[in-house]
Each structure stands twice: as C-alpha cells, then as structure tokens.
Amino acid sequence: MTDRNQTLFERAKTLIPGGVNSPVRAFKAVGGTPRFVQRAQGAYFWDANDQRYIDYIGSWGPMILGHGHPAVLEAVQKAALDGFSFGAPTEREIELAEEIVKLVPSIEMVRLVSSGTEAGMSAIRLARGATGRKKIIKFEGCYHGHADALLVKAGSGLATFGNPTSAGVPPEVVQDTLVLEYNNVEQLEAAFAEHGAATACLMIEPIAGNMNFVRASVPFMTRCRELCTQHGALLVFDEVMTGCRVGLASAQGHYASLIPGFEPDMTVLGKVIGGGMPLAAFGGKRAVMEQLAPLGAVYQAGTLSGNPVATACGLATLRELQQPGFYEALSARTQSLVAGLTEAAHAAGIPFCGDSQGGMFGFFFFDQLPQNYATVMTTDGARFNKFYHGMLERGIYFAPALYEAGFVSSAHSAADIEATVAAAREVFAQL
Ligand SMILES: *Cc1c(COP(=O)(O)O)cnc(C)c1O
C-alpha cells in the first residue's frame, strides 16, 4: 500500500519549506511522517490514507466543540453568503466584543485581530505606548507568538536580558526583553528591584501550554500582580491558549477564585474565540485601550481584522460554551483521560504524571509535575517519542512534541477516552 501521507509530504517539501506552514506540524521532535488531514468530524480526523484518529490537538486548541459542530457550521455558511470581507465595520464585531467583555470581566474594551502573534505583538506595543517604558518581562518556556521582541531566551546568569532564539532577530531588538524562570519568586523580585521602574509589562501564560502543561503557582502569580502594581507595570495575561479553554472566565477566572480580587491589566486571546477561524483579540482597561489608534497614539491595524466569517464562527462557538454544565462535563472527561493514562502507566511501572484544567491537559514521563521549562526538558523524551508513535499507530493523535499541551473537546465521548486508555495500556506494556 502506498502511504499517501508520505507522497504528499515529499510533494509539499519541494514547494513549502519543510513541507509545512508552521514548524511543529513537521514531526521534527518525534520523527516520522506528518499526517495530512483530509477531513474531520467531531472528535476525529482522517488522514490521507483514510485512517481515522482520535484528535487530541483540535487545531492546537480552537476546536473545543469538536469538528463540524452543526451550530457553528450553520453560522459560518450563513455569514459566507453575506460576504467574506468588507474592510468596513460590521455588527458582528460589536456582538463578539460584547461576548468577550461579558466572559472576561477584566476586559473593558477589546480589539480584534487575526492571529495570536498579532494580538501579543500589539499588546506589547500598547503596553509600551501606554506606560512610556521600554522593558518587558517574559518567562522561559512561555510562547507569545513569533514577534521579534518575543523570540528570546534567557541570557547566561540570572535576570539578564535575553538572546534571540531565531536568526533574523537583531540582538538590539530583544535587548529590552528580560527572560525569567517560571514560578521563581526570588528571581522575579530581583528583576523588579532592578528594572521595575523601566518595565512596561510582564507577559505570562498563566497556565503555560507551550511547555506542555505548567501552572503558575498561587504565590508566584500573587507576586506577579503585586510587583506590577507596585512598579506601575502592566500585567498582561497571554490567554491565547487558555482563554475559554480552561473555563468560561479563562485562566484569570481560575486565579481570581484562588486569589481574592485578582485581575490582569490586559489579556491576549485567540484560538477558542475564533472557533477554528483566523481570529484573535487583545483587551483590557478602557484607559489603556483608548491609547490605540484612531483614538490614541499607538498604531495598530488590519485589513482582515474582525473578519465577518471569522466573527460568525467565534460567536457561534462562544454561545455554545455557555450552555449550562459545559465546562463541568469537559473537565470531567479531560480528568478521566489524564487519570486513565496515569493509572495505565503506573500499572506498567512507568514514571508518569499529568494535570488538566477544563479541556486542556498535559502529561510527563516523570515522577512529579515540572514547575518550569528546564525541568520539562529533563523529562524522558525518548520514552515520550516511543509512546507517541505507539499511540499514533493505534489511531490516537497527541501533540507531536513533549513540550506541547493537549486538548479534549465536548465531542470526545467516554468511549473515546476508554479507547485511548486501552491503547495506552498496550503501548506502555512495550516501553
Ligand atoms: C498559539 C499561541 C500564540 C500564537 O498564536 P498564533 O495564532 O499561532 O499566532 C500566542 N500565545 C499563546 C499562549 C499561544 O498558545
């Protein structure tokens, strides 16, 4: 039998760098041939060989209702008939803004854009413009899109300014980006003591999903908030992944339930709020957001921003999420997956642990949950890769790298979870 995935990959590689339009799709971390997706429905997709997979990436988060949800499909089809893009305002942009402001109470005003990268980059520009300061703080292992100033890793030594992680980013572009260790309160305090007065914002993934799954501890998050307030820096939550994924009020709602009165100053959203269409947003307090053009001096724009088909898709998705009991059911299913995998691994004598919040999860071949990027990268990668391919052969599609989170949708049934755990039991027995 010819492997059409392989044929397509070879053809793609002659035209598209690495054969893919976003690097993680190329399977470089795990090796082997990427699956070219033909179609998807509910919790499944089918590859170019017509092999079915239970999908645990859901487009890296957006497909929280599963693929082809009838209400979303209908909204998108209807919107498409009315026109693809106008370059003039539409009522649906207001409706989507109203939904976002209602779901995420720290957001008073919001601007719609087309990707998480664009939203994060714009949020940084706005934070710098609003504070008149240059420096930004980020954490190792957090991903905020591929804007130049954010493609940076820690320099040598504690609390030094970073080095570019990509060719083509001049060192001077990242010289104002300070990269700290996630969950390290001491380092955070030292950084603010030295640079607090020059810091425009601290940007953080509150539950980091780009180093698998690592929660900000409550003491760490509390200090992030206190230090930003004390030094007049803006606390920017990058909730592109966690927004409406870990709960209706997003990760900030979760932290507000643990830290009384907790709120970030600005929030970056994407993924779920677009329901699978190119749509993202950034928002925050009115006084900050009003610094944006055309009202203020901070320039930001987009030909396709607030696209009518994308906003229809996002709105229909956000409305479905507000059905009573939606997140309770999603959380329970996700927890049963993580518990099932953990139990199966332990039964085979394999060090393993996992965690989840809402419909987002992570697991590690490691005996305890890592608290930062360096620890994530010490977990057993060789074992992960063997597990990954064993599961893939059995029709289970996890994220193809040990430093990525996974996602469960409302379309995943108890039977899908059981089938996944049964497959894992077979694979663990061979590791
Ligand atoms: C996916 C992601 C981004 C980037 O979004 P794109 O739409 O891929 O540009 C930014 N931040 C976080 C936390 C993400 O998970």
Side-chain angles (χ1 to χ4, degrees):
M1 196 187 86
T2 60
D3 178 359
R4 272 206 88 227
N5 293 308
Q6 187 62 38
T7 312
L8 290 175
F9 194 36
E10 295 309 324
R11 195 170 129 210
K13 282 193 282 191
T14 66
L15 298 163
I16 302 168
V20 293
N21 283 310
S22 196
V24 73
R25 299 178 193 171
F27 274 33
K28 225 177 138 183
V30 291
T33 307
R35 302 312 192 247
F36 280 69
V37 180
Q38 250 178 357
R39 68 201 155 87
Q41 184 57 49
Y44 314 116
F45 71 69
W46 285 261
D47 75 3
N49 297 330
D50 221 24
Q51 151 112 34
R52 193 193 83 168
Y53 298 86
I54 302 177
D55 177 13
Y56 287 109
I57 67 163
S59 181
W60 299 93
M63 310 314 295
I64 193 167
L65 304 175
H67 299 281
H69 187 283
V72 179
L73 270 186
E74 192 192 331
V76 168
Q77 284 168 336
K78 223 164 139 258
L81 291 178
D82 287 337
F84 285 6
S85 185
F86 312 119
T90 60
E91 186 170 353
R92 264 202 302 277
E93 294 163 76
I94 314 171
E95 289 181 78
L96 185 58
E98 285 167 346
E99 284 296 327
I100 290 172
V101 165
K102 182 180 87 189
L103 295 179
V104 184
S106 71
I107 300 180
E108 293 174 355
M109 290 187 109
V110 61
R111 176 151 288 173
L112 303 179
V113 296
S114 301
S115 75
T117 291
E118 205 188 338
M121 175 189 85
S122 305
I124 297 268
R125 184 182 305 143
L126 178 56
R128 284 171 160 165
T131 58
R133 299 172 177 186
K134 281 206 292 200
K135 297 198 189 305
I136 56 183
I137 292 176
K138 81 174 282 287
F139 299 93
E140 197 175 18
C142 287
Y143 177 67
H144 304 296
H146 63 87
D148 284 356
L150 296 166
L151 288 180
V152 49
K153 63 172 186 283
S156 55
L158 292 185
T160 54
F161 287 88
N163 302 314
T165 52
S166 167
V169 177
E172 53 272 27
V173 173
V174 299
Q175 72 184 5
D176 294 311
T177 310
L178 187 56
V179 185
L180 306 179
E181 188 176 72
Y182 202 75
N183 277 329
N184 185 333
V185 172
E186 232 170 82
Q187 216 185 81
L188 182 73
E189 288 177 341
F192 268 98
E194 197 175 341
H195 303 290
T199 300
C201 68
L202 177 159
M203 190 179 239
I204 186 168
E205 282 185 78
I207 299 175
N210 289 286
M211 50 171 154
N212 197 326
F213 184 106
V214 181
R215 295 169 185 274
S217 74
V218 169
F220 178 68
M221 191 57 88
T222 304
R223 282 311 273 156
C224 284
R225 178 64 277 176
E226 287 169 355
L227 288 164
C228 281
T229 304
Q230 191 185 323
H231 292 270
L234 299 175
L235 176 60
V236 182
F237 259 32
D238 182 350
E239 298 225 48
V240 172
M241 187 181 287
T242 53
C244 299
R245 164 53 70 179
V246 300
L248 199 50
S250 305
Q252 56 196 268
H254 174 64
Y255 281 94
S257 75
L258 302 169
I259 309 166
F262 182 88
E263 267 193 345
D265 298 303
M266 283 173 68
T267 302
V268 184
L269 294 166
K271 297 193 170 113
V272 168
I273 66 157
M277 288 276 179
L279 196 154
F282 62 103
K285 295 283 170 252
R286 192 172 298 276
V288 173
M289 293 304 290
E290 285 184 343
Q291 313 269 330
L292 274 181
L295 288 180
V298 178
Y299 191 70
Q300 191 280 330
T303 301
L304 297 177
S305 291
N307 177 269
V309 184
T311 49
C313 186
L315 263 176
T317 302
L318 293 186
R319 284 177 181 152
E320 289 300 315
L321 299 180
Q322 295 172 63
Q323 305 266 357
F326 181 90
Y327 285 94
E328 287 80 354
L330 184 67
S331 299
R333 201 126 288 170
T334 311
Q335 283 166 10
S336 72
L337 172 69
V338 172
L341 292 175
T342 307
E343 183 273 317
H346 289 171
I350 293 169
F352 190 94
C353 61
D355 195 5
S356 70
Q357 186 73 31
M360 174 175 163
F361 68 88
F363 58 80
F364 302 91
F365 287 88
F366 204 59
D367 50 16
Q368 58 187 11
L369 293 172
Q371 296 301 303
N372 57 48
Y373 178 74
T375 312
V376 170
M377 297 317 276
T378 66
T379 67
D380 194 338
R383 219 169 213 172
F384 172 84
N385 287 355
K386 277 195 205 138
F387 175 73
Y388 179 79
H389 282 289
M391 294 301 277
L392 195 64
E393 279 165 24
R394 287 165 178 78
I396 316 289
Y397 196 95
F398 285 123
L402 71 75
Y403 45 80
E404 302 285 359
F407 306 96
V408 172
S409 78
S410 56
H412 286 76
S413 65
D416 293 325
I417 305 294
E418 277 165 33
T420 305
V421 172
R425 211 167 268 127
E426 285 180 20
V427 177
F428 286 137
Q430 295 171 4
L431 290 185

